[in-house]
Amino acid sequence: MKIVDALLDMNTSPTSELAARYRADFPILNLKVNDKPLVYLDNAASSQMPQSVIDRLIRYQTTQHANIHRAVHYLSEIATREYETARRTLQHFINAREDREIIFTSGTTDAINLVMHGYGRKFIQSGDEIILTNLEHHSNIVPWQMLAEEKGATIRVVPINDAGELLVDEYEKLFNPRTRFVALTHVSNALGTINPIKSMIAFAHQQGVPVLIDGAQAAPHMKVDVQDLDCDFYAFSGHKLCGPTGIGILYGKAKLLESMQPFKGGGDMIASVTFEKTTYNTIPYKFEAGTPPIAAAIGFGAAIEYLSKIGLDAIAAYEHELLNYATEQIITIPGVHIIGNTRTKVAVLSFIIDGVHPHDVGTLLNQEGIAVRTGHHCAQPIMQRFKIPATSRASFAFYNTKAEINTLVEGIHSIQKVFS
Amino acid sequence: MNLKSIYQEVILDHNRKPRNYGTLDNANHHAVGHNPLCGDRIDLALHVEGEHIDRIAFHGESCAICKASASMMTATVKGKSRSEAETLITEFREMAVGNLDLSGPHHLGRLAVFAGVRDLPTRVKCAILPWHTLQAALNSNAIVSTETAEDSIHAANSKA
């Protein structure tokens, strides 16, 4: 876990407030909510968009829009070029070998469903086993359950300890000759736990089992290198990386993608069509049926360029500093408990306040202009594991400040007063 | 909307000390109300003698708004007839989604403290769930959810 070690090292050295440099790039952060300055701490659900990405979307819609890969006219050529440029931006962002290993999807959920349909339905049979973890959110559980039900396969689940860490020994014990696939989150959305995926991928490969990584919560917060990780698939979404909604990517090793069946049929994913037979296009187009969200893909590329300029290592270090600061503040408040206490976390702080339901916490914090997520975070198995109905989750981005964390802490104090 | 209009003392008090909280022996009507989005769960038991609700109890896990709504609901409908309860269910729903003019005639009394939820669309379901559950119990439905297709809470919300 090189990334984590680096984070922990950096934690001991002072990091200047990244927010001071980049906050002004985000117009929405000037908003007032209930007459209070917005304190946006729901970044794990969706991050905000900088002006440069907004401007890029406007430029595309104003001067570049046309359908792609079809026409020979000027606008179509420009739109096609920009769309494919965005693909290469994503390729370099995660260090994929080739741009054809990047498939644009509508998001992480769509990407996982693509693998389920394209790989799972072809290669997973009755009696086979699929390994998931207790840390998955619903997007990386439900598609595999649907597949298991259809095929008569079995889901095996890696348990976690009380700190919210995967029990890697138990993971290894789950493997047997029937194990066909591993689907594993890089970072837990509800607890922030960073999983030791590199060694877990290596172990699965020793057994000849491919691994999909759900990177929705990791890609915004740390440098991801798919070649270094050697994962077979990696999925994440644009809107958690300062980009638009409705766009994400699936990275897949070219050989695997080539072996898979198309998930959706339609235009652009074919080489030729007659009523007798259709032959499919090459990757990545085989998996991009129909007109894609062109503007969103180009906006996603712009967001990646923006984040790359700041640097994911700098973002990770600063967010870790924010997390440490917030953790130190919140653990000192009597009656408040943090759920997920591993040292290797991204900047997600899930907590419960004794005697106050998280939904009341969310409503009361909103009165102070503070946006946190409350609920089960589409990860009900984690809530069941900790025997709680829900948590309140503050999740930080590089544009958040320590002053905002102080506002959150004051908010928690005032909630406790209301409920005392 | 100001904070005081929903988290006022009467609601906080019912949350702290819910009335009619627990189980009921010999209940002849029962329903479980569930909001899968937030995990609120209200287990409601009634004993209806003839046309009258003579005993009622609830338990479950929920937020303050839901629990206070359940507590005040049980305190209000205890001893009332089915048709009086049905009227209250309708009026409470209409109030929660902002369709009831509280200055006009109604039977809600202190339940009007919940009027503030109309400005919190995400919390309307919390307040209505116990009433939805009561209706299910009176109609002998075992389980209701805020998220089923034919759900009247959705219909109510869409008006908000």
Side-chain angles (χ1 to χ4, degrees):
Chain A
M1 284 307 301
K2 258 197 299 196
I3 295 165
V4 170
D5 291 342
L7 284 177
L8 293 172
D9 285 347
M10 270 184 267
N11 179 40
T12 57
S13 63
T15 311
S16 60
E17 288 227 342
L18 223 59
R21 267 175 282 164
Y22 297 104
R23 227 178 133 71
D25 295 343
F26 293 81
I28 205 167
L29 298 179
N30 296 319
L31 208 66
K32 293 220 162 164
V33 172
N34 293 319
D35 297 324
K36 309 274 171 56
L38 167 69
V39 175
Y40 187 76
L41 303 178
D42 194 17
N43 296 286
S46 196
S47 56
Q48 297 297 347
M49 199 183 275
Q51 190 65 51
S52 62
V53 176
I54 298 168
D55 289 345
R56 186 68 191 88
L57 292 170
I58 292 171
R59 182 155 70 94
Y60 170 76
Q61 297 293 179
T62 317
T63 65
Q64 300 181 318
H65 173 69
N67 212 328
I68 56 168
H69 296 149
R70 286 164 174 78
V72 293
H73 60 73
Y74 169 80
L75 281 179
S76 181
E77 279 180 11
I78 297 284
T80 303
R81 185 190 70 202
E82 296 300 316
Y83 180 80
E84 292 304 328
T85 299
R87 192 191 307 278
R88 283 193 294 279
T89 302
L90 266 303
Q91 175 206 339
H92 297 134
F93 183 62
I94 57 171
N95 192 33
R97 278 174 211 86
E98 309 171 60
D99 60 358
R100 64 193 186 113
E101 294 182 319
I102 305 294
I103 297 156
F104 281 119
T105 66
S106 71
T108 307
T109 300
D110 190 38
I112 294 169
N113 275 276
L114 195 166
V115 178
M116 184 277 265
H117 285 277
Y119 183 90
R121 294 183 82 191
K122 184 167 176 184
F123 295 111
I124 291 170
Q125 311 300 334
S126 173
D128 289 350
E129 294 184 0
I130 301 162
I131 295 178
L132 308 179
T133 82
N134 203 166
L135 290 176
E136 304 311 313
H137 71 147
H138 298 167
S139 298
N140 203 24
I141 299 173
V142 181
W144 303 112
Q145 280 179 335
M146 292 165 81
L147 180 72
E149 195 169 326
E150 178 185 318
K151 295 288 188 176
T154 305
I155 305 281
R156 310 288 303 272
V157 181
V158 186
I160 55 176
N161 63 20
D162 290 340
E165 296 161 334
L166 286 180
L167 299 174
V168 177
D169 290 350
E170 298 298 318
Y171 165 71
E172 295 183 358
K173 282 186 216 156
L174 291 179
F175 281 83
N176 65 53
R178 292 182 302 279
T179 309
R180 286 290 172 275
F181 201 77
V182 174
L184 157 67
T185 191
H186 196 164
V187 165
S188 155
N189 73 317
L191 309 182
T193 312
I194 303 171
N195 292 322
I197 59 165
K198 190 173 173 180
S199 59
M200 292 174 79
I201 292 164
F203 185 85
H205 286 175
Q206 282 164 23
Q207 329 296 314
V209 176
V211 182
L212 171 139
I213 301 296
D214 172 354
Q217 297 293 340
H221 304 292
M222 63 182 73
K223 187 88 191 89
V224 171
D225 182 332
V226 291
Q227 291 193 63
D228 178 56
L229 291 170
D230 196 30
C231 52
D232 301 281
F233 301 101
Y234 197 97
F236 58 99
S237 301
H239 70 98
K240 295 187 204 287
L241 286 126
C242 302
T245 55
I247 188 77
I249 64 146
L250 173 70
Y251 157 81
K253 286 179 178 170
K255 268 204 167 150
L256 270 168
L257 292 176
E258 280 166 347
S259 74
M260 286 158 55
Q261 61 192 19
F263 167 29
K264 297 170 186 163
D268 222 28
M269 52 75 72
I270 51 86
S272 72
V273 177
T274 66
F275 280 109
E276 288 71 39
K277 184 172 173 61
T278 293
T279 54
Y280 301 122
N281 206 337
T282 54
I283 60 166
Y285 310 111
K286 182 168 79 171
F287 298 107
E288 292 180 4
T291 300
I294 306 166
I298 292 169
F300 191 8
I304 295 301
E305 283 168 17
Y306 175 82
L307 292 175
S308 300
K309 240 180 256 172
I310 303 171
L312 264 291
D313 290 338
I315 288 171
Y318 176 61
E319 288 179 352
H320 201 72
E321 187 181 312
L322 283 179
L323 176 69
N324 280 352
Y325 182 74
T327 305
E328 284 163 15
Q329 302 292 307
I330 286 175
I331 52 176
T332 59
I333 309 174
V336 179
H337 311 279
I338 295 171
I339 308 295
N341 288 302
T342 170
R343 290 204 316 153
T344 51
K345 278 173 74 171
V346 299
V348 164
L349 204 116
S350 231
F351 61 94
I352 50 175
I353 304 177
D354 286 344
V356 192
H357 191 281
H359 273 200
D360 298 314
V361 173
T363 296
L364 287 158
L365 288 178
N366 181 59
Q367 294 301 316
E368 304 301 318
I370 305 165
V372 297
R373 172 80 190 272
T374 54
H376 52 58
H377 316 296
C378 294
Q380 285 181 322
I382 300 178
M383 302 297 125
Q384 288 152 10
R385 166 64 178 75
F386 287 98
K387 297 188 171 60
I388 48 178
T391 72
S392 303
R393 180 187 71 183
S395 53
F396 310 110
F398 60 92
Y399 45 68
N400 289 126
T401 65
K402 288 181 186 168
E404 289 180 312
I405 290 167
N406 295 340
T407 308
L408 171 68
V409 170
E410 285 162 27
I412 292 171
H413 282 302
S414 67
I415 290 167
Q416 288 184 312
K417 255 181 234 158
V418 169
F419 276 84
S420 63
Chain B
M1 180 359 244
N2 80 61
L3 181 59
K4 291 200 175 100
S5 68
I6 185 65
Y7 286 98
Q8 30 186 312
E9 200 45 53
V10 59
I11 289 178
L12 293 170
D13 179 63
H14 275 269
N15 175 57
R16 267 193 298 268
K17 294 174 289 183
R19 322 300 196 257
N20 305 302
Y21 193 82
T23 53
L24 197 64
D25 292 334
N26 306 320
N28 53 12
H29 288 262
H30 178 245
V32 177
H34 188 219
N35 180 348
L37 295 184
C38 64
D40 280 353
R41 189 175 180 280
I42 290 289
D43 198 314
L44 185 70
L46 281 73
H47 187 266
V48 181
E49 187 73 52
E51 274 305 296
H52 280 81
I53 301 167
D54 61 356
R55 284 182 293 137
I56 183 166
F58 81 101
H59 64 275
E61 281 286 327
S62 66
C63 64
I65 292 173
C66 183
K67 193 187 276 182
S69 175
S71 170
M72 290 179 73
M73 177 194 77
T74 57
T76 309
V77 303
K78 197 181 204 172
K80 291 214 164 43
S81 69
R82 276 169 173 271
S83 68
E84 286 171 322
E86 293 282 356
T87 302
L88 284 166
I89 290 167
T90 305
E91 289 184 355
F92 190 92
R93 277 187 185 151
E94 291 295 299
M95 171 184 70
V97 299
N99 289 341
L100 183 75
D101 178 6
L102 284 169
S103 63
H106 64 81
H107 306 82
L108 293 169
R110 278 156 61 90
L111 291 165
V113 295
F114 287 96
V117 295
R118 64 172 178 253
D119 297 318
L120 297 167
T122 54
R123 307 305 302 277
V124 169
K125 286 180 189 176
C126 309
I128 295 183
L129 181 64
W131 296 85
H132 195 55
T133 313
L134 173 63
Q135 185 159 57
L138 288 170
N139 294 324
S140 295
N141 296 327
I143 293 174
V144 290
S145 164
T146 57
E147 303 308 311
T148 49
E150 68 281 5
D151 177 72
S152 54
I153 289 179
H154 267 299
N157 265 351
S158 66
K159 281 190 245 160

